[in-house]
Amino acid sequence: VTERNDFRKTVYWNPEIKVGTNGKARISFYNNDEVTTFRAIVEGISQQGVPGRVEHTFYTQLPVNTRFRLPAYLTFEDKISLPVTVKNNTADKLKGQIQLNVPAALMAQGHKGTLNFTLEAEQSETFFMDYVVGGPAGKVAITMIMETNGLHDEQTREITILP
């Protein structure tokens, strides 16, 4: 997996899908990089003015996936515990390392931006990495890299630091 950085909310939108005489159409699209459940909704109106609607859910999954959440904004002197969740979707025990690459404005508390983990098969765990926010103000990127048993997951999120 390359770096996951596409987390848009609307994955596909097309207001002009034409269906054939059999009432069917084929579409294709790329998902975003989120590991989650998606909901596809198709709505339309027939030539006779009859509305139609159908929903379908599907999910994406990696052998080992990670997730970290950020608030929209941080301010100087905030103390934050960044939650990093690792889920082992394999049948094997995994040992690995997570590294958070953060801007100089975030000062690590009690760690050096890395943590080691061990997860049993089908296990999930959330770890917290503490930081204190300094300056300068502006939009910054935080990249999380996870390596384990030859598997790699990397994602970048942006956050705005305010004075």
Side-chain angles (χ1 to χ4, degrees):
V1 172
T2 58
E3 180 182 352
R4 295 192 297 137
N5 57 13
D6 177 2
F7 297 103
R8 61 201 148 98
K9 299 297 181 194
T10 300
V11 177
Y12 180 80
W13 171 260
N14 186 342
E16 297 184 24
I17 296 174
K18 305 282 189 220
V19 296
T21 55
N22 64 357
K24 295 183 179 184
R26 179 179 287 278
I27 62 165
S28 65
F29 57 89
Y30 293 98
N31 281 328
N32 66 18
D33 291 333
E34 193 73 66
V35 176
T36 189
T37 299
F38 292 89
R39 175 172 300 164
I41 301 171
V42 178
E43 297 177 326
I45 299 174
S46 73
Q47 289 182 336
Q48 294 77 28
V50 178
R53 182 178 200 278
V54 66
E55 284 189 31
H56 179 73
T57 58
F58 62 96
Y59 69 94
T60 57
Q61 179 174 292
L62 296 170
V64 179
N65 66 280
T66 54
R67 170 178 286 175
F68 75 104
R69 301 245 185 229
L70 295 173
Y73 301 95
L74 290 172
T75 59
F76 294 172
E77 298 182 24
D78 278 350
K79 293 179 182 174
I80 183 170
S81 288
L82 291 178
V84 178
T85 301
V86 182
K87 182 163 186 345
N88 178 2
N89 296 313
T90 72
D92 300 318
K93 181 178 184 176
L94 297 177
K95 292 184 178 187
Q97 184 177 72
I98 293 172
Q99 178 180 337
L100 280 182
N101 295 334
V102 301
L106 294 176
M107 295 155 282
Q109 304 295 296
H111 60 87
K112 294 187 185 327
T114 61
L115 66 87
N116 296 313
F117 66 89
T118 301
L119 287 177
E120 297 296 329
E122 302 295 327
Q123 182 185 6
S124 177
E125 189 166 346
T126 300
F127 306 94
F128 294 91
M129 299 179 81
D130 297 331
Y131 292 89
V132 173
V133 182
K139 188 174 272 197
V140 297
I142 297 175
T143 300
M144 190 235 21
I145 301 167
M146 183 278 309
E147 299 280 347
T148 179
N149 295 34
L151 299 171
H152 174 91
D153 190 17
E154 181 175 341
Q155 49 188 294
T156 299
R157 308 271 181 155
E158 289 188 338
I159 189 167
T160 300
I161 297 176
L162 302 172

